[in-house]
Amino acid sequence: MKKRLVVTIISVVLCVLVALTLVGCKENYKQKALAMDWNNIAVSSNNGLAVRVGTYLYFINGYADKTGDNAFGETVKGAIMRVKLENNLPVKDTLETVVPKNVYNSNAKLGIVVKGEYIYYSTPSVKKDGKGKPMTDKMDLMRTKLDGTGTQVLVSFDDFNTVYQVMDRHILYTRENKLFELDLASKSFKTKEIADEISQAKFLSYDLRSDIFSNTVLYEKNDEGAGVYKNLVYAYMAGSEGPKVIIDGLDSYKGKVLEHEKGYRVTVTALDLVGENLRVYYTKTDSTPNSISKGNYSYDFGRDFSFDYKKEVRYTTGNTYTRFDRLNDTNFMVLDDKGYHHGVYNQESKTWSFTPVIEVASIQILAYEEVEGDIIVTYVTSNKLHKIKVLEKVADTYNKVVVGVETLYSGPYFSTWLTYDKVFNTVYFFNSDVKNYTYYLDLSAVVSGESKTMAGTRLGAFSHADEIDMLEEPPTETTDKK
């Protein structure tokens, strides 16, 4: 009898061990709270490598890839850390670890997001397969409070192909051409499917605030009806009863003489806030041989999302731009694969004209800003960071006055995941010469052509393993300004 009991106990233990091997042990997320001024958690430069929260800078401490150390409490490389800001610059000796997990994603547009009192981030799963191998191809979407407490796994995925946006009380995400909603107020973070067969989704930038539009997603669905060439644009506000069609490529244009009777296909390219309205930039095409309607358009939607085609604004004919930066209602900066352009509205002809101001292919615009009437553009090309003055404002007119480009940084830079991130007048980036750790550069101190002023400064902490490696191959002085 005793022998049978022992065998039974051993069998139960083995089953438990096998189960733990298959699903992985649950991590202990408890840690002491960091000091936090909860009355000052204003955020800027959200959803990147570094985020300003009140008087702190929260940042990812280097790129560790999905196979990096990821045990909670032990992780250094890829962890979320913070430093205090003084005169908008990091104070290095105030360094603290907030989330000791390896933050990783393969999508260059998904970094760390601060919403309310939480930081949201993605990380490789710590679960193991039947052979004890970590399943790092799987993704956990998690959150931790700004003081380092309250860490939770919200939802898990089989890969890193999910695109998500954190709303006030929900997370909306797209996966396999479907739109889902996760309820952050529910105990088990309940999810539900909102729409299927969508072609893309567009969200408002985190740095643009609106009570309703910040919680809204726009997406498109094709209409496969016989004899039509159209699609539908939907708006869905998180937590609402359901999506609403805001542009029907055929029915929304009733009464208009169409380029082709089958209608239009509309693709949303960008979103902006103009007063209390949501400005939607989009392209249209039709089924005529040369697609007569092809071009850039916009429409200003109110809270009811009603559409009147007579108020639709057309910017271009034939060519299209992928980014619209509004200076005012009659001046834009726009981007295509050939460079950055200045768009001006002619009141007499009622048409728009576009003039190139940065003629460089495949550039990334990091920032554009007006400084005492001058439009200054900071951009990236071939992984190098540049600045250039492109316009000068005289009265209400912007004139092209392109002044010689200044190189701000041309040193080692790792761009496989997140790109340069600008917070105030400082850029943060991964340094490819120093094992992809996070560095920063104060742009106000840069003198173009003087290499000493263009060297970055390491911000975070090295892992023990990397410290040992660098004893054998130390970084050069030019890439490790301390």
Side-chain angles (χ1 to χ4, degrees):
M1 183 72 179
K2 290 182 179 179
K3 185 176 180 180
R4 186 176 300 173
L5 179 61
V6 171
V7 171
T8 301
I9 292 174
I10 291 174
S11 299
V12 171
V13 171
L14 288 174
C15 288
V16 171
L17 289 174
V18 170
L20 287 175
T21 300
L22 290 173
V23 302
C25 298
K26 186 176 180 180
E27 291 185 292
N28 181 359
Y29 299 131
K30 290 184 179 180
Q31 59 180 355
K32 292 183 179 180
L34 302 174
M36 193 71 212
D37 179 6
W38 292 106
N39 294 317
N40 183 13
I41 56 174
V43 175
S44 61
S45 188
N46 219 344
N47 194 31
L49 167 59
V51 181
R52 192 273 302 189
V53 183
T55 58
Y56 287 92
L57 181 89
Y58 287 71
F59 67 96
I60 303 170
N61 184 47
Y63 175 85
D65 207 342
K66 62 185 177 184
T67 58
D69 292 339
N70 199 20
F72 190 90
E74 301 175 14
T75 300
V76 175
K77 192 173 188 178
I80 299 175
M81 298 184 176
R82 76 175 188 181
V83 289
K84 287 186 178 179
L85 292 172
E86 192 172 286
N87 298 321
N88 297 333
L89 291 172
V91 181
K92 291 183 62 179
D93 60 6
T94 63
L95 182 69
E96 297 175 298
T97 299
V98 183
V99 184
K101 288 281 289 179
N102 176 21
V103 178
Y104 167 86
N105 207 297
S106 58
N107 188 320
K109 296 181 179 180
L110 296 176
I112 55 174
V113 173
V114 175
K115 199 78 169 178
E117 61 182 17
Y118 282 98
I119 316 163
Y120 295 82
Y121 54 94
S122 58
T123 180
S125 174
V126 296
K127 293 181 180 180
K128 298 180 180 179
D129 61 20
K131 297 180 180 180
K133 183 180 179 181
M135 295 188 288
T136 57
D137 285 333
K138 296 180 182 291
M139 180 184 99
D140 288 340
L141 180 56
M142 301 180 65
R143 71 176 182 179
T144 299
K145 288 186 178 181
L146 291 166
D147 64 1
T149 65
T151 296
Q152 299 169 302
V153 177
L154 303 175
V155 61
S156 299
F157 303 103
D158 288 336
D159 50 46
F160 285 85
N161 295 330
T162 300
V163 177
Y164 59 88
Q165 182 91 347
V166 183
M167 307 299 190
D168 291 333
R169 291 179 294 276
H170 302 82
I171 292 178
L172 296 180
Y173 63 90
T174 58
R175 182 172 179 80
E176 297 175 346
N177 300 112
K178 295 180 180 180
L179 174 66
F180 296 89
E181 178 182 81
L182 183 150
D183 186 355
L184 291 170
S186 62
K187 290 183 179 180
S188 58
F189 302 116
K190 182 180 178 182
T191 62
K192 66 177 180 179
E193 182 179 317
I194 302 300
D196 61 3
E197 298 181 351
I198 69 173
S199 56
Q200 72 154 353
K202 285 289 183 182
F203 302 95
L204 195 64
S205 167
Y206 284 108
D207 287 341
L208 294 175
R209 288 297 307 150
S210 169
D211 291 341
I212 179 172
F213 299 125
S214 296
N215 293 302
T216 300
V217 61
L218 268 59
Y219 64 89
E220 297 129 35
K221 293 186 68 170
N222 288 330
D223 188 320
E224 304 298 338
V228 299
Y229 179 92
K230 70 168 185 173
N231 67 348
L232 307 173
V233 180
Y234 290 79
Y236 175 71
M237 186 176 73
S240 67
E241 293 183 359
K244 176 181 179 179
V245 176
I246 62 172
I247 301 178
D248 181 309
L250 185 59
D251 292 348
S252 294
Y253 293 89
K254 286 182 177 179
K256 181 182 185 301
V257 178
L258 302 179
E259 287 80 356
H260 196 286
E261 60 183 7
K262 291 184 178 181
Y264 303 112
R265 287 185 181 170
V266 178
T267 302
V268 177
T269 56
L271 304 178
D272 192 13
L273 288 179
V274 180
E276 296 183 355
N277 296 325
L278 177 68
R279 178 166 293 177
V280 180
Y281 296 99
Y282 51 93
T283 61
K284 291 196 312 189
T285 60
D286 58 65
S287 55
T288 59
N290 296 317
S291 189
I292 301 172
S293 66
K294 182 180 178 181
N296 287 107
Y297 301 77
S298 75
Y299 191 88
D300 290 357
F301 286 97
R303 290 176 174 267
D304 62 355
F305 277 105
S306 61
F307 180 81
D308 178 356
Y309 73 84
K310 296 177 183 177
K311 297 178 182 179
E312 183 180 64
V313 177
R314 183 169 189 169
Y315 301 95
T316 65
T317 299
N319 60 316
T320 57
Y321 298 105
T322 57
R323 171 174 173 153
F324 275 71
D325 296 323
R326 181 172 55 90
L327 302 178
N328 56 34
D329 284 342
T330 56
N331 287 267
F332 284 84
M333 302 298 293
V334 298
L335 182 70
D336 64 10
D337 58 1
K338 296 179 182 178
Y340 207 37
H341 311 260
H342 175 216
V344 181
Y345 182 68
N346 187 305
Q347 296 285 358
E348 295 182 2
S349 65
K350 307 297 182 183
T351 59
W352 289 82
S353 61
F354 296 87
T355 303
V357 292
I358 304 178
E359 297 184 77
V360 179
S362 303
I363 65 171
Q364 175 203 343
I365 304 301
L366 185 61
Y368 71 98
E369 52 196 332
E370 185 169 327
V371 181
E372 297 179 352
D374 296 335
I375 301 300
I376 309 297
V377 179
T378 306
Y379 67 96
V380 182
T381 178
S382 300
N383 287 344
K384 297 178 181 179
L385 191 64
H386 303 283
K387 180 178 73 172
I388 189 171
K389 174 182 172 181
V390 296
L391 299 176
E392 186 176 68
K393 190 176 182 180
V394 179
D396 293 328
T397 303
Y398 288 95
N399 299 317
K400 178 179 176 180
V401 291
V402 177
V403 177
V405 62
E406 295 181 43
T407 300
L408 301 174
Y409 182 76
S410 58
Y413 167 66
F414 178 82
S415 59
T416 297
W417 180 24
L418 299 173
T419 183
Y420 292 99
D421 204 352
K422 188 171 183 286
V423 183
F424 296 118
N425 203 34
T426 302
V427 292
Y428 300 85
F429 58 95
F430 295 135
N431 189 320
S432 58
D433 268 9
V434 191
K435 294 188 174 293
N436 302 328
Y437 277 93
T438 302
Y439 275 57
Y440 71 94
L441 179 65
D442 177 10
L443 298 183
S444 64
V446 172
V447 178
S448 187
E450 294 187 9
S451 58
K452 287 185 178 181
T453 68
M454 299 164 65
T457 303
R458 179 165 57 88
L459 181 58
F462 290 136
S463 70
H464 181 62
D466 284 338
E467 284 180 331
I468 293 175
D469 284 346
M470 285 186 290
L471 287 175
E472 300 176 1
E473 296 183 18
T476 63
E477 291 184 3
T478 57
T479 61
D480 191 23
K481 178 185 173 185
K482 295 184 179 180

